[in-house]
Amino acid sequence: MEMDSIPNGNSAVSTPAVTTPTNSTHTTPSSKLTQLTESLKLEHQFLRVPFEHYKKTIRANHRTVEKEVSSVISGVNDAADSDMSKDDAFQHLTSLVSRLQGLKRKLEEGSRTENLQAQRCRARLDHLESVDAENLSEWSNTRLKRILVDYMLRMSYYDTGMKLAESSNILDLVDIDVFQEARKVIDALQNREVAPALAWCAENKSRLKKSKSKFEFQLRLQEFIELVRVENNIRAIAYARKYLAPWGATHMKELQRVMATLAFKSHTECATYKVLFEPKQWDYLVDQFKQEFCRLYGMTLEPLLNIYLQAGLCALKTPYCYEDDCTKEDPLSQESFRKLALPLPYSKQHHSKLVCYITKELMDTENPPQVLPNGYVYSTKALEEMAKKNNGTITCPRTGFVCNYSEVVKAYIS
Amino acid sequence: MDLNPIKDAFDHVSKKQKLSSSKAQEMIDQIMQEIEKAVEIIQSGQSGSEFEHKSVLGELNKKLQEISPISQLEGTQKELNIALSKYPKQLEKSFNPDISKAYRNIDFDIHTVNQIIGSHFYRLGLFSIGDCFINEAKEPESTVAMRSMFSEMYLIVEAMKDRNLIPALKWAAANSDKLKENGSDLELKLHRLQFVEILQHGSRGEALTYARTHFAPFAFNHLGEIQKLMACLLWTGKLDRSPYSELLSAANWNTVADELTRQFCNLLGQSFESPLSVTIAAGFQGLPPLLKFMNVMAGKKQEWQSMKQLPVPVELDKEFQFHSIFVCPVSKEQSTDDNPPMLMPCGHVLCKQSINKMSKNSSKTFKCPYCPDNIDATKCTQLYF
């Protein structure tokens, strides 16, 4: 709210001051539009994830073609160099043809997947483009649903995620199929199997290396610990030579610590080593995997829901939210929201914003605040209506103070 | 936001992908053809020579080396790779690549979040999804209380969609006193809908009887409204051609259903809007200025984790304004119980501390910062918003 200015020299309170028209800082269409643009800019992950998925499919398809074609060519080359009988040559070449036919089918299927994924990338761009002032509330509802599905998938509540996406018809706008890949690895880790996780690491080797991930090393450490746990020391040492030693250059400390378990064994009481044998190490691996997975796909490491909840709670949090008479419409009147907001900072305002106690409407230049003789402030609209109903008598709803409407004065809040 | 450049960039990627995959297909076909040709020659054994297949194989090998499919594929693949690496960069430039920059590393209690989500599903009437969620997240039954509260509401609203007002009227009658306390005339509005229904489909007598039984209790406060409704009796069966035709509008049903939802939530001690929706919407408005701040203050990440108040003002739309906030225009500080807003005799408002400062603890008068008035600090009175 901008400052009301009173013409110079006009100091009598009772004279209705001429207020110059002021521009309100919010709800002008153009500021609404910039606000919307700013919110759209938050949607990086929404476009990035399906694209990463698409890229991955393209790369995998390409690798298959390259591999098969070169092996067919070298197959011909070998045959040309060898002493094959006519029948053998015939057999050999026909088998190569059928191999190529197989590749062709595979490639066609691969293209179909690629096209579907390209379509999904487009659908998301279209979805972002479709928002305007008219459908904003519906669009925001869909946005919340997308964020909730993201939460479900990250927390492994797959059924709920699927159900919500299907019933809201937003399958193209959520990443259920991307998370299918993660699900296999997570399920296996929860069953204390590392094989699928290692396979995943191999599949994404170059990118994990680029981000200096040590996830594979952590998986190897855990496998080693499991060998020590069952006191299969010979195999443990062989395993360490093969799989842990290559990490020595960069992670010597951890390597040394885990090797020491050979001496301490699984029933040790020494805290440094005891913790390595605890079952929660597996939960830790699951968390670690989730992080690597999200990073690879360009997702935020935190669920989107948590990020927006936190920002929203900060923006809404005021000292008044924790008072008993906090309005129910404020999310922070609810215990659960108060609890989440407790460690968060309060919002900050540079301008006064007054809400009428009676009507809950904003008091601005169109509906200016008026002061009762007891100092309580209400909106003009509320007091006018009260005066009309009660022949000019005003009763303060908070104190029971009674006065006449003519005793009320206007307050200028800047 | 102009998404066209991004769309174009994506079209470029997908064009390159199509090109690359059709090139691969073509290549495979070509190799296949060559091999099949060779097979044919071997099979037919035209020349009858013992070693013919050898020369055919040699020939084929030479041909395939000539085609050198792999290097041919590389060309299109290279172009595709360039497009594939360009696009994410463009996304990063046009969007906020890391929205978690302003995230405080505190862990939300999962159960609290889950209960909020469960309640959200129930209050939106998504009962089966809510049940599925509570089950999958293994949340305790406490959220189920929300379920039963809101299932009653949705039964009433669903019935209204079928133009059945009986559950709604029953609920309104049972909560009549509380509704009146809230200043809501929902009950009368429901009776009005029913009365109009009867007028349209039933007899005048029936409508009159209905009016007598149900309108009487409202006569004191809503005389005008009831008079209007009684006048409708003159147009029984042809209300659409009467001055009161707007009473027939289907929109009336929606507004009354909304009002009912509002009152129902209110009596449950719940807000009309889902608190989760409100908070997330506020988050979408509040996050951009916070991210901007973090970009500027890149080095102060540590401080951000412990701040008691946001370092930048975050302006939210007025639907998120639930409390009166007074910021002293002189000190720029928010008022508190110890530093309350004070009304000066000229009608302008400052904080107590600012007034104390300017009046040297009420020892002298001072000029109002907004008008030429001289202010006596002892004549300032405290305000309560």
Side-chain angles (χ1 to χ4, degrees), chain A residues 33-218:
Chain A
L33 224 62
T34 35
Q35 201 178 52
L36 186 60
T37 305
E38 288 300 316
S39 310
L40 282 183
K41 281 189 185 164
L42 302 171
E43 301 279 7
H44 183 254
Q45 170 179 327
F46 183 60
L47 298 177
R48 180 72 186 269
V49 174
F51 179 75
E52 287 299 329
H53 203 204
Y54 176 55
K55 192 158 107 182
K56 206 171 166 188
T57 314
I58 291 177
R59 292 256 157 88
N61 286 340
H62 182 248
R63 261 200 302 278
T64 323
V65 172
E66 228 173 33
K67 213 171 99 198
E68 289 289 298
V69 167
S70 21
S71 88
V72 165
I73 287 177
S74 66
V76 172
N77 196 10
D78 290 349
D81 290 345
S82 73
D83 234 354
M84 254 182 200
S85 73
K86 184 181 163 184
D87 274 354
D88 283 348
F90 174 73
Q91 286 285 325
H92 184 65
L93 290 183
T94 0
S95 81
L96 288 182
V97 169
S98 65
R99 194 164 167 184
L100 284 172
Q101 272 161 347
L103 172 63
K104 226 179 131 172
R105 270 196 303 275
K106 223 170 165 182
L107 191 60
E108 272 161 18
E109 204 179 295
S111 303
R112 256 199 302 281
T113 320
E114 283 173 10
N115 290 339
L116 274 177
Q117 289 179 341
Q119 219 177 316
R120 173 161 301 177
C121 292
R122 276 209 189 85
R124 300 213 179 171
L125 279 163
D126 291 341
H127 183 71
L128 286 189
E129 205 171 36
S130 73
V131 62
D132 55 38
E134 275 90 67
N135 65 6
L136 187 57
S137 90
E138 193 193 332
W139 197 86
S140 309
N141 285 340
T142 309
R143 179 173 65 188
L144 177 55
K145 282 180 182 159
R146 284 195 269 129
I147 292 172
L148 283 170
V149 174
D150 174 84
Y151 178 82
M152 302 300 160
L153 293 173
R154 289 175 191 248
M155 303 294 288
S156 306
Y157 305 146
Y158 302 108
D159 291 345
T160 314
M162 192 66 194
K163 231 175 160 165
L164 181 58
E166 270 180 343
S167 69
S168 325
N169 213 1
I170 50 168
L171 282 170
D172 261 349
L173 308 181
V174 293
D175 302 306
I176 289 177
D177 50 350
V178 172
F179 273 92
Q180 288 299 347
E181 181 189 320
R183 186 179 184 172
K184 271 183 232 148
V185 177
I186 294 171
D187 286 351
L189 285 177
Q190 274 160 351
N191 289 325
R192 312 205 164 179
E193 286 169 43
V194 291
L198 285 171
W200 183 83
C201 286
E203 216 178 288
N204 300 287
K205 201 170 179 174
S206 63
R207 298 194 55 197
L208 288 174
K209 212 168 168 184
K210 222 192 240 166
S211 67
K212 297 209 174 64
S213 157
K214 59 172 187 175
F215 180 54
E216 190 188 337
F217 180 53
Q218 285 165 324

Side-chain angles (χ1 to χ4, degrees), chain B residues 97-158:
Chain B
D98 183 13
I99 58 166
S100 55
K101 236 184 214 158
Y103 188 78
R104 258 198 202 189
N105 289 324
I106 47 156
D107 284 323
F108 277 155
D109 177 50
I110 293 177
H111 295 290
T112 313
V113 176
N114 283 349
Q115 294 210 346
I116 287 172
I117 295 173
S119 309
H120 173 77
F121 285 140
Y122 288 141
R123 66 167 309 131
L124 291 188
L126 303 170
F127 294 107
S128 73
I129 292 175
D131 290 346
C132 177
F133 175 67
I134 292 298
N135 195 14
E136 212 175 6
K138 301 192 184 62
E139 284 303 320
E141 303 284 302
S142 56
T143 10
V144 177
M146 283 293 262
R147 186 189 204 283
S148 53
M149 290 198 288
F150 282 106
S151 71
E152 190 191 349
M153 185 177 95
Y154 277 94
L155 282 177
I156 296 174
V157 175
E158 285 303 310

Side-chain angles (χ1 to χ4, degrees), chain B residues 366-385:
Chain B
F366 64 97
K367 191 192 129 337
C368 167
Y370 289 99
C371 66
D373 253 26
N374 264 325
I375 307 295
D376 176 358
T378 55
K379 296 236 169 84
C380 297
T381 51
Q382 185 174 342
L383 291 185
Y384 303 88
F385 292 113

Side-chain angles (χ1 to χ4, degrees), chain A residues 3 11 13 41 54 77 82 84 104 114 129 151 159-160 310 330 346 352-353 355 375 377 398 412, chain B residues 7 14 17 29 53-54 61 96 104 114 136 308 310 315 323-325 327 345 347 370 373 384-385:
Chain A
M3 189 190 115
S11 54
V13 180
K41 281 189 185 164
Y54 176 55
N77 196 10
S82 73
M84 254 182 200
K104 226 179 131 172
E114 283 173 10
E129 205 171 36
Y151 178 82
D159 291 345
T160 314
Q310 214 187 69
D330 184 348
Y346 289 107
S352 298
K353 276 189 184 145
V355 180
V377 181
R398 282 178 283 184
Y412 300 97
Chain B
K7 279 184 144 178
S14 105
Q17 169 245 318
D29 281 340
H53 69 277
K54 286 223 83 146
N61 188 28
N96 239 319
R104 258 198 202 189
N114 283 349
E136 212 175 6
K308 287 225 162 9
L310 290 182
E315 296 278 342
H323 305 280
S324 287
I325 307 268
V327 181
Y370 289 99
D373 253 26
Y384 303 88
F385 292 113

